[in-house]
Amino acid sequence: MSPAVAGRLPTRPRGCGTELAHPRPAGRDQYTISEVAEHTGLSAHTLRWYERIGLMPHVDRTHTGQRRFSNRDLDWLSLVTKLRLTGMPVADMVRYAELVRGGEHTFAEREDLLTAHREDVRQRIAELQSTLDVLDYKIDIYADARRASERF
């Protein structure tokens, strides 16, 4: 039985939108686009693009039209950044965002999307590990040859 079924929530892994690269100012929940860009490392252009393509949920605006991001927006951007680092295609991230906005009845589809992507990530990790093994082997050959030549 899964922890969620047993009445407990699954433990949240490191990097699941709870840690921050830079601590947020205490007591604040409104950030300008430049503050979010500095905090996330994403450009203002990228943040606007994410909003335009539907990857970002609705971002509040001031009476003058300036974007005001919330802590929840920063948490979402943290997840999006991690998905991007795993190589998830933007179209899949947008689909995931649509499903999240769709509510609880989309849980199964969200799980399927993330499960399929997890398998892709695992396959890429295996490929990278194989490549790393080849690099280690070649480096060892050169290190052994260099040590042997230094003895003469």
Side-chain angles (χ1 to χ4, degrees), residues 66-109:
Q66 293 178 321
R67 290 171 179 82
R68 287 291 182 245
F69 293 83
S70 68
N71 285 325
R72 188 172 181 180
D73 294 328
L74 293 182
D75 290 341
W76 176 256
L77 286 168
S78 178
L79 173 62
V80 166
T81 300
K82 294 212 180 329
L83 293 175
R84 193 71 187 128
L85 283 173
T86 67
M88 180 179 272
V90 172
D92 288 350
M93 291 191 304
V94 170
R95 177 67 184 138
Y96 181 75
E98 291 168 350
L99 291 170
V100 169
R101 287 190 293 274
E104 291 183 11
H105 74 280
T106 66
F107 281 176
E109 197 171 348

Side-chain angles (χ1 to χ4, degrees), residues 8-23:
R8 294 173 287 141
L9 291 175
T11 57
R12 180 173 276 169
R14 264 182 63 97
C16 195
T18 57
E19 301 84 39
L20 307 169
H22 306 287

Side-chain angles (χ1 to χ4, degrees), residues 139-152:
I139 290 168
D140 288 345
I141 288 173
Y142 292 123
D144 290 346
R146 182 181 40 78
R147 282 191 293 273
S149 70
E150 289 172 355
R151 282 187 242 152
F152 297 108

Side-chain angles (χ1 to χ4, degrees), residues 27-137:
R28 290 200 40 208
D29 189 28
Q30 294 290 301
Y31 308 93
T32 65
I33 197 165
S34 61
E35 289 171 326
V36 172
E38 182 180 343
H39 176 78
T40 63
L42 299 169
S43 69
H45 174 78
T46 298
L47 293 167
R48 288 185 203 100
W49 181 64
Y50 280 1
E51 187 178 5
R52 190 170 52 252
I53 66 172
L55 188 51
M56 277 297 299
H58 169 76
V59 176
D60 288 335
R61 294 185 184 253
T62 66
H63 68 283
T64 60
Q66 293 178 321
R67 290 171 179 82
R68 287 291 182 245
F69 293 83
S70 68
N71 285 325
R72 188 172 181 180
D73 294 328
L74 293 182
D75 290 341
W76 176 256
L77 286 168
S78 178
L79 173 62
V80 166
T81 300
K82 294 212 180 329
L83 293 175
R84 193 71 187 128
L85 283 173
T86 67
M88 180 179 272
V90 172
D92 288 350
M93 291 191 304
V94 170
R95 177 67 184 138
Y96 181 75
E98 291 168 350
L99 291 170
V100 169
R101 287 190 293 274
E104 291 183 11
H105 74 280
T106 66
F107 281 176
E109 197 171 348
R110 285 187 247 172
E111 180 183 6
D112 291 345
L113 190 149
L114 293 176
T115 299
H117 184 64
R118 178 179 61 190
E119 186 54 35
D120 291 343
V121 169
R122 285 182 172 157
Q123 287 175 1
R124 281 203 337 277
I125 288 170
E127 291 168 356
L128 287 171
Q129 186 59 57
S130 174
T131 302
L132 182 60
D133 292 344
V134 169
L135 289 172
D136 288 342
Y137 174 75

